[in-house]
Amino acid sequence: MLRYIYADQLGNYPRLANEMFTHRADQFRTRLGWDVSVDARGHERDEYDDLNPLYVIWETAEGGHGGSTRFLPTTGPVMVNDHFSHLTSSPIRSPNIWECTRFCMAPGQGANVAAALMLGGGELMNGFDVRHFVGVFDARMVRIYSRVGSSPEVLGSIGEGREQISVGLWEFQKEAQLRVAQRAGISPEISKAWFERAFGLKLAMEFAATA
Amino acid sequence: MRGLRNADMLETETTLERILSELEQADSLDGMQSVSEALRDYYDVDHLVYHWVDSRGDQYGCGTYSEEWQNKYVAENYLRIDPVVQGCYRRFHPVDWKRLDWSSKAAREFLRVSAEYGVGNQGISIPIRGPNGQFAMFTVNTSCDDDTWERFSEENRRDLILIAHYFNEKALEFEPERQPEQSQSLSPREVDAMTLLAIGYSRAQVANSLSISEHTLRVYIESARFKLGALNTTHAVARAMSRGLIVI
């Protein structure tokens, strides 16, 4: 299932949090060789994890971390403006644009998990009037995004081949959202219900009030 | 999208745009206060409130709550139990009050007392993340039934999110170490895009002229619009022209 968890709520999900930061170390340092910091616990964390970002996490049937990604609004500090401004024509700053970073898949997870995470991103756009996501990604992700039916538009890149790093842009499109839901094997209604639950479903409150 | 002609734009400033111009020109908290009252009247809601904590931890606010309610709030230290504050602090998504947890006894009592002081039963609060850890919150509330509220919220939420951030941009101007004009100047690409729109090019034509996709163009427009404190593209173009940022 899809979980939407702010950093200050991660304490309620110790297994998901521990595995997410561990899998990020696996992916970004071990597999991709990025110059990221990994702490004594084997967790990959950066300064943006300290800004109380919102994580979208795929929780596997066994209750573990299947994949995750991280969101912050571009009105505050974000990676594209702080570290990759040479790839964009000017700082990207708008309440309608959120940054999406650290797209991470747990070892052994398939394209359906990548699609589920994109689906979660679409729920955020739809539910909170976000028009675009901007993100930094490596060459390998281009193929994954294309396979799940949600390719970003590249605003700028540095490096060549597998080393290439790009800043890209996503826009909410209803058709793309349905396509992504299909790839994820999740019905749009269920996805919507997970989103509603995370952000306070009215129905649940009424049940609680009468319980 | 239809082409924009100069004459159209200058003559069609809406009431909302006029209020936002007042906000842009405000040079004190009093100015923001009168804008918050004008917006309350424009939206025909019970209350509209903006509250921020600056980089030194000092708190400011403006809005339409009665003095009695503000005093009561502070005296009772409602900050500790107010579900709106609990639900917005350290968040950055817009929050409908219905989705907050009002189930505790303290929260229910707070709700009852706040209604006595004229606070609406329906509300939306928009938390704002500014630079350097700055935090602010913008709230609109009113008393009405669920269906009426749903329609109001559907229709206005998008604008309210922008307006919330424009209040915040204004508040940031009052920050002591603020570099003036820092965020307002348009990048060369943004100037090009706004100029071509102003002379009547369609989006497709602008994108084509600048050799970028319409998608990328939308981001230039989005960020220019935010810098200009505008609600839509037409409004942004009009503002860029009136400020002399583009010449056509």
Side-chain angles (χ1 to χ4, degrees):
Chain A
M1 72 183 82
L2 276 171
R3 295 271 191 197
Y4 302 82
I5 307 173
Y6 277 96
D8 63 1
Q9 300 168 316
L10 281 176
N12 301 331
Y13 305 90
R15 179 173 168 195
L16 285 181
N18 176 47
E19 291 184 7
M20 173 172 73
F21 291 118
T22 306
H23 290 157
R24 274 172 43 175
D26 286 349
Q27 172 168 328
F28 295 107
R29 190 171 72 172
T30 312
R31 294 206 296 266
L32 295 172
W34 286 18
D35 180 22
V36 293
S37 342
V38 175
D39 66 18
R41 290 171 298 178
H43 289 177
E44 185 273 309
R45 294 180 58 96
D46 67 10
E47 72 256 43
Y48 301 97
D49 291 304
D50 297 332
L51 299 177
N52 209 40
L54 175 61
Y55 301 98
V56 174
I57 301 178
W58 176 254
E59 182 178 329
T60 63
E62 295 75 41
H65 169 260
S68 53
T69 187
R70 181 178 70 178
F71 293 92
L72 279 168
T74 59
T75 50
V78 284
M79 205 183 266
V80 277
N81 293 334
D82 297 347
H83 300 290
F84 294 91
S85 58
H86 51 296
L87 298 183
T88 58
S89 76
S90 67
I92 293 170
R93 193 161 172 264
S94 163
N96 301 124
I97 306 176
W98 286 9
E99 181 181 71
C100 167
T101 50
R102 291 293 194 262
F103 194 100
C104 166
M105 305 266 287
Q109 294 292 337
N112 62 316
V113 170
L117 295 173
M118 303 301 289
L119 185 64
E123 296 293 350
L124 295 178
M125 284 184 156
N126 197 32
F128 298 143
D129 287 314
V130 178
R131 292 189 182 182
H132 304 271
F133 289 144
V134 63
V136 179
F137 53 88
D138 62 278
R140 187 196 54 118
M141 288 307 297
V142 174
R143 217 182 49 234
I144 293 179
Y145 291 141
S146 139
R147 223 188 305 155
V148 301
S150 180
S151 286
E153 174 164 329
V154 174
L155 294 180
S157 301
I158 40 162
E160 295 291 333
R162 294 182 56 177
E163 302 292 303
Q164 190 169 60
I165 301 228
S166 304
V167 170
L169 194 71
W170 287 262
E171 186 175 33
F172 182 78
Q173 290 167 324
K174 226 183 169 111
E175 318 79 66
Q177 183 74 352
L178 290 173
R179 202 161 58 231
V180 169
Q182 224 163 30
R183 300 274 159 87
I186 297 165
S187 77
E189 292 77 16
I190 297 297
S191 172
K192 177 102 180 139
W194 287 334
F195 175 81
E196 299 276 349
R197 182 186 54 188
F199 296 103
L201 182 60
K202 193 171 140 202
L203 201 63
M205 279 184 57
E206 281 166 4
F207 280 135
T210 53
Chain B
M1 185 199 150
R2 78 186 168 87
L4 303 163
R5 276 176 297 116
N6 189 359
D8 278 357
M9 292 184 307
L10 296 181
E11 283 162 23
T12 56
E13 191 185 44
T14 64
T15 308
L16 187 53
E17 288 168 8
R18 204 160 49 240
I19 298 171
L20 289 181
S21 294
E22 266 175 57
L23 175 60
E24 196 202 0
Q25 281 147 29
D27 54 10
S28 66
L29 200 50
D30 284 349
M32 294 178 75
Q33 175 64 29
S34 84
V35 170
S36 66
E37 290 164 16
L39 279 171
R40 173 204 53 197
D41 297 345
Y42 171 79
Y43 281 113
D44 194 19
V45 291
D46 292 347
H47 291 291
L48 187 141
V49 182
Y50 169 75
H51 177 249
W52 85 93
V53 183
D54 77 6
S55 54
R56 292 177 304 185
D58 293 334
Q59 299 193 35
Y60 305 88
C62 64
T64 63
Y65 285 152
S66 68
E67 190 121 12
E68 292 76 25
W69 174 237
Q70 294 177 41
N71 293 338
K72 174 86 175 167
Y73 195 99
V74 172
E76 301 282 346
N77 199 7
Y78 281 142
L79 203 59
R80 286 178 311 121
I81 53 163
D82 183 347
V84 178
V85 172
Q86 306 294 326
C88 287
Y89 182 61
R90 306 201 70 211
R91 301 287 175 264
F92 49 81
H93 66 275
V95 175
D96 190 301
W97 288 9
K98 272 209 255 316
R99 290 166 175 268
L100 295 166
D101 182 5
W102 297 92
S103 59
S104 77
K105 203 173 159 209
R108 282 168 184 270
E109 175 63 7
F110 168 74
L111 187 64
R112 191 188 62 75
V113 176
S114 67
E116 280 174 15
Y117 284 83
V119 178
N121 65 329
Q122 310 275 4
I124 181 171
S125 292
I126 299 157
I128 300 156
R129 290 265 178 108
N132 314 321
Q134 184 248 8
F135 173 79
M137 201 167 94
F138 178 89
T139 291
V140 168
N141 71 69
T142 203
S143 280
C144 63
D145 61 52
D146 286 354
D147 290 342
T148 311
W149 175 252
E150 191 60 32
R151 277 199 305 278
F152 172 83
S153 175
E154 274 294 305
E155 196 173 320
N156 298 302
R157 188 176 62 175
R158 188 166 274 214
D159 280 353
L160 290 174
I161 291 171
L162 286 169
I163 292 168
H165 284 83
Y166 296 151
F167 267 86
N168 200 57
E169 290 296 295
K170 178 50 69 177
L172 287 171
E173 280 180 21
F174 303 151
E175 291 259 300
E177 290 92 30
R178 164 95 175 174
Q179 308 281 326
E181 298 302 311
Q182 187 180 21
S183 67
Q184 266 108 355
S185 65
L186 298 180
S187 75
R189 269 321 210 192
E190 288 163 0
V191 169
D192 291 347
M194 300 315 273
T195 306
L196 292 172
L197 288 170
I199 61 177
Y201 276 39
S202 69
R203 283 187 192 231
Q205 288 168 324
V206 175
N208 194 32
S209 302
L210 300 178
S211 306
I212 54 175
S213 71
E214 284 191 56
H215 203 111
T216 302
L217 173 66
R218 278 197 285 277
V219 170
Y220 290 150
I221 296 174
E222 199 82 65
S223 73
R225 178 175 77 162
F226 184 53
K227 286 178 188 172
L228 293 162
L231 292 169
N232 52 49
T233 308
T234 312
H235 189 204
V237 170
R239 283 203 153 187
M241 285 174 59
S242 69
R243 284 198 203 163
L245 297 173
I246 59 172
V247 178
I248 63 169

